[in-house]
Amino acid sequence: MDPCPFVRLSVCNLALKVPVASKPAHSVVHPSSSPCYCKIKLKNFPLQTAVVPCILSESQFPDGQVQSHAASFHLNKCDLEKLVAKSVFGGGKLYLKISIYTGRRGSTCGVNSGRLLGKVDVPLDLAGTESRSVLFHNGWIVIGKEAKNSSAQFHLSVKAEPDPRFVFQFDGEPECSPQVFQIQGTIRQPVFTCKFSFRTTGDRNQRSRSLPLEHSGSRNWLSSFGSERERPGKERKGWSITVHDLSGSPVAAASMVTPFVASPGSDRVSRSNPGSWLILRPGDGTWKPWGRLEAWRERGSADSLGYRFELIPDSAAARIVLAESTLSCSKGGKFVIDLGTSVSTNGRLTPGNSTSPACSPRGSGDFGYGLWPYCMYRGFVMSASVEGEGGGSSKCSKPTVEVSVQHVNCTEDAAAYVALSAAIDLSIDACRLFSQKLRKELCPSQDLLS
């Protein structure tokens, strides 16, 4: 099947050029003491914020300056049709609206702490952008008062480019061993089946009949990457889910390798002692680790799920963090790997956004830009919807997974992302407070009988 059309609208290369005054004045921003940021708004999409670096008025940006990704809006076919129809038939143009502030982000008693410097409206014409790239703006714009020596200039680049994706949807809860469909418009085509199972302590070398590729002579990935920590107290362990293609062959798996254990004196999984999953792919007659997902429950009023996903290279000790963020335990949200634009800093790769660290090796050694084989992971990689706890026992999670076409070269590629999405969805249940009961599908039979 063909992928679904998507468009990525990107805002990049932000900078603020301000006049430098000999004496402090309220009308002038001083780069050395005034942090700046902006709010970026596209109609009907959530507001995004980004830091705006200040540069001296004599600097010629972007020459010699770091160019970075600030914000992205991901538009599916339905979004595009609505936005294009609004601009064509709604009697007005579509604009990307940007407000620039000086001061620190946040609010006190409901009042924004930043001071508005100016606003910028960039006109957009998104017709046809699902098949061609369009640069809407790249350069400087005068903002604020245009009085002599008091006006500031704001630099930005705004572009839209095709970003086709494969879309998959589970036909039920991952723990209920559902089918997985590929979605293309109104067409739903089955492509995978999932098998959820439990791995007990005695199954360390032969974990489950759902993992037939592993044999007694293979490396014990459980002991290499996780722990069967036999502890007294509250814990959830031994979950695994295997993804099969339509012929019945296993093409990916997610296995809980570190139990989700309640911290001493509490009923929650803490950040200091997270549970973890291995995402596995078949190779050479056995399973090979592809990635590792850690999850825990954050403290505080937000009560969110914290997670970290990292790639596991074949021949290096260092791991590569691709995503590290949080999502609401009660409402759910989206697990996203979106690397934006990576830049080289002191020989290491750093991301263009703060929520998804890019190819930054963890461990010994320093890997330069372009030398690290996994730096092919750029831009949007994947997203997966995650159902929260809010629905209680009656909620039904059917994760929807979007994967960029550039990151899928074979069936196993797509299956690995499906397995990862199942693991993050199951982590919501694994990180439930231990005072709460789990669904019967997540409890071994001996637990049900006790």
Side-chain angles (χ1 to χ4, degrees):
M1 290 183 67
D2 294 330
C4 296
F6 276 77
V7 169
R8 178 186 180 99
L9 181 67
S10 302
V11 182
C12 311
N13 305 341
L14 301 185
L16 187 66
K17 184 186 291 186
V18 296
V20 178
S22 57
K23 295 181 180 180
H26 292 294
S27 61
V28 176
V29 177
H30 292 268
S32 61
S33 60
S34 300
C36 297
Y37 66 96
C38 68
K39 296 180 179 180
I40 305 168
K41 177 65 177 175
L42 179 66
K43 190 175 182 67
N44 298 329
F45 282 81
L47 184 75
Q48 298 189 40
T49 60
V51 173
V52 181
C54 290
I55 64 175
L56 298 177
S57 57
E58 61 270 16
S59 299
Q60 297 298 314
F61 185 87
D63 295 338
Q65 301 292 324
V66 171
Q67 301 190 26
S68 62
H69 175 86
S72 290
F73 297 89
H74 305 280
L75 316 177
N76 59 29
K77 185 176 181 180
C78 184
D79 295 328
L80 283 172
E81 290 174 347
K82 288 180 179 178
L83 291 172
V84 171
K86 187 75 175 177
S87 60
V88 173
F89 302 108
K93 287 186 176 182
L94 176 67
Y95 290 93
L96 182 71
K97 299 179 179 293
I98 303 174
S99 302
I100 303 97
Y101 297 83
T102 180
R104 301 194 179 278
R105 283 182 285 182
S107 61
T108 304
C109 300
V111 179
N112 290 331
S113 57
R115 180 171 66 86
L116 180 65
L117 287 179
K119 296 182 178 181
V120 171
D121 291 346
V122 179
L124 305 175
D125 181 3
L126 297 172
T129 53
E130 67 271 18
S131 59
R132 60 186 175 88
S133 298
V134 178
L135 182 63
F136 296 110
H137 181 86
N138 182 41
W140 293 98
I141 300 176
V142 175
I143 63 171
K145 297 179 180 180
E146 296 195 30
K148 186 177 181 180
N149 296 327
S150 64
S151 61
Q153 297 181 65
F154 181 63
H155 188 283
L156 80 159
S157 300
V158 180
K159 63 180 179 179
E161 51 195 339
D163 189 15
R165 303 173 187 181
F166 293 107
V167 180
F168 306 96
Q169 186 175 44
F170 287 71
D171 197 35
E173 302 268 2
E175 61 267 31
C176 296
S177 300
Q179 276 191 313
V180 179
F181 291 84
Q182 184 178 0
I183 309 297
Q184 214 280 329
T186 58
I187 302 173
R188 287 164 53 88
Q189 177 176 320
V191 288
F192 300 117
T193 59
C194 294
K195 174 62 178 176
F196 179 81
S197 60
F198 295 97
R199 173 177 43 77
T200 62
T201 305
D203 294 332
R204 296 180 69 116
N205 288 324
Q206 293 182 338
R207 305 203 301 271
S208 166
R209 285 179 296 175
S210 65
L211 302 176
L213 289 182
E214 187 167 19
H215 50 79
S216 58
S218 65
R219 290 176 61 183
N220 189 347
W221 295 115
L222 297 181
S223 60
S224 299
F225 291 93
S227 170
E228 284 291 343
R229 297 175 301 197
E230 295 296 336
R231 299 183 176 188
K234 307 169 184 176
E235 61 179 15
R236 292 165 182 146
K237 63 180 181 178
W239 302 358
S240 67
I241 190 162
T242 311
V243 182
H244 301 261
D245 63 18
L246 294 184
S247 70
S249 300
V251 284
S255 182
M256 186 185 288
V257 292
T258 305
F260 287 71
V261 180
S263 295
S266 76
D267 62 349
R268 70 173 61 226
V269 180
S270 69
R271 184 187 185 102
S272 61
N273 192 26
S276 68
W277 301 78
L278 269 188
I279 312 302
L280 303 159
R281 297 182 55 162
D284 299 327
T286 186
W287 288 118
K288 290 189 174 182
W290 170 69
R292 179 186 177 95
L293 174 71
E294 291 184 335
W296 59 89
R297 191 154 182 148
E298 296 279 10
R299 289 191 173 275
S301 57
D303 200 21
S304 56
L305 179 84
Y307 62 81
R308 179 189 300 109
F309 175 69
E310 54 192 17
L311 290 176
I312 301 174
D314 290 333
S315 58
R319 299 174 187 172
I320 308 152
V321 179
L322 288 190
E324 185 170 5
S325 190
T326 62
L327 53 86
S328 171
C329 286
S330 59
K331 298 178 181 179
K334 274 197 173 184
F335 169 86
V336 179
I337 303 177
D338 186 354
L339 305 181
T341 303
S342 299
V343 295
S344 179
T345 306
N346 296 326
R348 289 188 180 272
L349 292 173
T350 56
N353 59 42
S354 60
T355 59
S356 298
C359 306
S360 50
R362 292 202 168 185
S364 60
D366 194 8
F367 300 88
Y369 182 86
L371 299 179
W372 191 249
Y374 284 85
C375 289
M376 62 182 179
Y377 289 89
R378 297 192 183 201
F380 174 84
V381 178
M382 71 157 292
S383 71
S385 62
V386 181
E387 184 72 32
E389 301 172 345
S393 59
S394 63
K395 68 103 175 177
C396 183
S397 177
K398 297 182 178 181
T400 298
V401 188
E402 298 173 4
V403 186
S404 175
V405 167
Q406 65 177 326
H407 297 300
V408 177
N409 296 313
C410 59
T411 300
E412 288 79 4
D413 288 343
Y417 293 111
V418 169
L420 173 57
S421 66
I424 192 70
D425 188 89
L426 288 167
S427 293
I428 288 282
D429 292 297
C431 287
R432 273 183 183 269
L433 299 177
F434 280 83
S435 57
Q436 299 175 351
K437 290 186 177 180
L438 296 179
R439 294 167 53 102
K440 63 180 181 179
E441 291 85 357
L442 292 168
C443 301
S445 57
Q446 61 267 31
D447 291 348
L448 294 175
L449 296 175
S450 60

